[in-house]
Amino acid sequence: MNCHSVNRLLNIPEGNEVIALVGNPNVGKSVIFNKLTGRYVEISNYPGTTVDVNYGYYRDYIIVDTPGVYGISSFSEEEIVTRDIVLNTQKIINVIDSVHLDRDLFLTQQLIDYQKEIIVVLNMVDEVKKNDIEIDVEKLKQHLGVEVITTSASKGIGINELKEAIDKNLFKKGNPTPNLDMLLESEGKKLCCGELAEAENIFETSVSELQEKIYALRRNYVDVIYSQTVKFDSKRLAFKNKLSQILINPITGIPILVATLYIMYYFLGVLVAQKLVGFTMNTVMGEYYFGFIEKVIKGIIPNMFLQKLLVGSYGILSMFPIIFFGLLLPLVVAFHFFMSILEDSGYLPRIATLVDRVFNKIGLNGRSIIPIILGFGCVTMATMTTRILGSKRERLITIFLLGLTIPCSAQLGIISGLISKLGFWYLVAYVLIIGFIFGVVGKILSRIIKGESTSLFIDLPTLRIPQLSNVLKKTYYKSKGFLVEAFPVFVVATLLLGFLDAASLLKVIENLAQPVVTGFLKLPKQITEVFILSIIRRDYGAAGLVTIPTTKSQMFVALVTTTLFVPCITSFAMMTKENGLRYSLFVWISSAVIAILVGGLLAHIMIA
Amino acid sequence: MTLDMVSRGQEVVIKSIKSKNARIYALRFGINEGSRVKCIAKINNGPVILRKNHQEIAIGQGFAKEIEVEAQK
């Protein structure tokens, strides 16, 4: 492997020397990157979401922010990206989470063994004090043989020292793992970048015996370094981990999970979907904006067809902005705000642990809960993150369940808002029905989809109180990303529907769908529009429900049916990309059939 | 005995990890054959939660059954 031109690899400007920022996930690499280059980068707790490589300038250096990895190998997309950057860069800033020194030093020692020039950054030193850990930094420096700088990047502590170290070019090759050269020699290889990399088999996903020997040797050496440099009081530790145990233990953990979900429902469904949206959609957009725009358009455009297309009930200047800005924007922002808090607190992997046992019954492990929770944000994005799952079978099952049962953020907000008007028992019934279908369909899928499922193996990060500034930044970037992606699809959908309406074609479709919609589902025929919109975007469809007058039972049937109804166009496209057209059509058709059957069954029980 | 039989609060030394995948995952989180770990929580018929120093890891039952351990006093 050549040790040059990471520039060409990443398609970034030539001429400046590159420094790669490398470290485990969630150690604060992106914060340090931001402090050095002044550029904001998304900070996420989920593997599978940071495959984009960011770079920026610090003086004459290009700083490359790599995806977080636990070691340099080829087990995932992130690792392959990081591996390629590391092998093609000579200077590296290795960021370590001080609280997890024993875990993180494995990667550090691997980088040293690759004979890279390194500066080690011991980040989050403030948490070290909080956890009563003592680190002998001088001793650590001696053991590693490289410069070690302590920082608390999120608070700006130690950044100047790091900059100084870069300016003085304190990058050094450290002390390789003892006896590693002997082990390699016995295999006829040398301790040099290319040959070691090859011996560690990092270009293949399979593990060789030699790789295991090297890993074990390195691991044991790192444990020695750790035991000689770090001291902590294990009694205090037991106390600090009580909360983590409470969250994982089913007896306490399940009520806490239910309470968390209820708080989420209350926040999204009651506070935002009803109170805030009532103001933004009805008052701001509905009264002020619509009143204004309708007058203007009717004043200057006499053509009835055009008037209907622009400011009719599906107008591009009426329905679209009212729903997009009045309804979706507040809901999407609120959802991402809530999710960012959950993510940053370190609670999500604990939920994965808690549900593992139940998920095993449907051929999944607890890790699948992460894309499923993400699905409540956007099913399309969640479909993409199923790549973090261990096997094809798990991915197929999870994607199906995502498409069928998970409402996305805005849809969830609208559903929460509509259900809270129906009453508490309707909420319980809704959750039970959707949960039941999730379980039954999961069970059936795990029977029919061949292959093997993997077992859970997940890191539980330290629980911490989320920082507001980080939560706000995350909320901003995620909401923006979502809305930017949604905007064109919405415009097209509205135009299509507006055209169908203005050309009176909507009536024709409604009449065609009548046997199913009014006959079997016993719903008002306008619900057909909701189904048409749902195909394009689920949240848009749900938004349509708000305006249609129904009885309580009809609303309930409509909510269940539209929740289960087909995945939207973008997630359909994503499913096709991930697993092929045959599979996505299978999901699409099955969802439609299940939705109508379940809806019809409910209708015959509930609606006289 | 295997890891799935360990009870809460028990300290064990990892003797062998049969599954290659589990072995590599474990190494990355700082655990290998010979590591002394403590079981800090356990879900009946579900994951075992181990701690080594400040690192907490949840291991599903499938993997736990493939990890041979020895109880420590």
Side-chain angles (χ1 to χ4, degrees), chain A residues 422 426 522-524 548-557 607:
Chain A
L422 296 183
Y426 281 95
K522 300 188 180 179
L523 296 173
I548 296 169
T550 57
T551 65
K552 275 191 172 190
S553 314
Q554 279 180 327
M555 179 55 82
F556 186 75
V557 171
I607 305 169

Side-chain angles (χ1 to χ4, degrees), chain A residues 73 79 102-103 241 456 459, chain B residues 23 28 53 55-56 58 60:
Chain A
S73 42
E79 288 192 5
D102 52 338
R103 180 197 68 194
N241 284 296
L456 184 75
D459 161 35
Chain B
R23 203 152 53 204
R28 285 130 155 273
N53 301 322
Q55 177 78 52
E56 283 180 24

Side-chain angles (χ1 to χ4, degrees), chain A residues 154-166:
Chain A
S154 58
K155 297 187 175 125
I157 300 165
I159 298 298
N160 286 336
E161 286 80 354
L162 173 61
K163 286 182 175 171
E164 215 171 284
I166 300 171

Side-chain angles (χ1 to χ4, degrees), chain A residues 61-206:
Chain A
Y61 291 110
I62 290 179
I63 311 280
V64 176
D65 188 21
T66 65
V69 293
Y70 295 103
I72 306 294
S73 42
S74 321
F75 293 101
S76 64
E77 259 180 83
E78 290 84 2
E79 288 192 5
I80 291 168
V81 171
T82 303
R83 174 199 78 189
D84 289 345
I85 295 170
V86 165
L87 292 183
N88 288 289
T89 315
Q90 197 45 34
K91 285 192 163 66
I92 288 171
I93 295 174
N94 172 221
V95 186
I96 291 180
D97 169 357
S98 302
V99 178
H100 289 127
L101 204 60
D102 52 338
R103 180 197 68 194
D104 291 24
L105 279 177
F106 183 83
L107 175 63
T108 308
Q109 194 57 41
Q110 193 175 22
L111 293 169
I112 290 175
D113 289 340
Y114 285 151
Q115 303 189 334
K116 299 291 172 186
E117 293 165 32
I118 296 170
I119 291 176
V120 166
V121 173
L122 266 186
N123 195 24
M124 308 186 191
V125 276
D126 50 331
E127 303 227 359
V128 166
K129 283 176 204 138
K130 273 189 223 158
N131 286 288
D132 288 308
I133 307 171
E134 266 178 61
I135 302 174
D136 189 334
V137 179
E138 277 311 310
K139 234 181 205 168
L140 186 62
K141 259 186 216 178
Q142 281 169 22
H143 277 297
L144 298 175
V146 299
E147 191 61 30
V148 177
I149 297 183
T150 54
T151 63
S152 177
S154 58
K155 297 187 175 125
I157 300 165
I159 298 298
N160 286 336
E161 286 80 354
L162 173 61
K163 286 182 175 171
E164 215 171 284
I166 300 171
D167 295 342
K168 287 183 184 161
N169 197 8
L170 296 182
F171 292 90
K172 262 185 268 177
K173 288 184 185 180
N175 307 324
T177 308
N179 300 327
L180 181 58
D181 48 351
M182 276 159 61
L183 176 65
L184 285 167
E185 223 166 275
S186 68
E187 300 282 334
K189 299 201 187 297
K190 279 181 196 151
L191 188 65
C192 134
C193 176
E195 288 200 49
L196 174 58
E198 189 198 331
E200 291 203 0
N201 238 3
I202 69 175
F203 304 108
E204 291 169 30
T205 45
S206 64

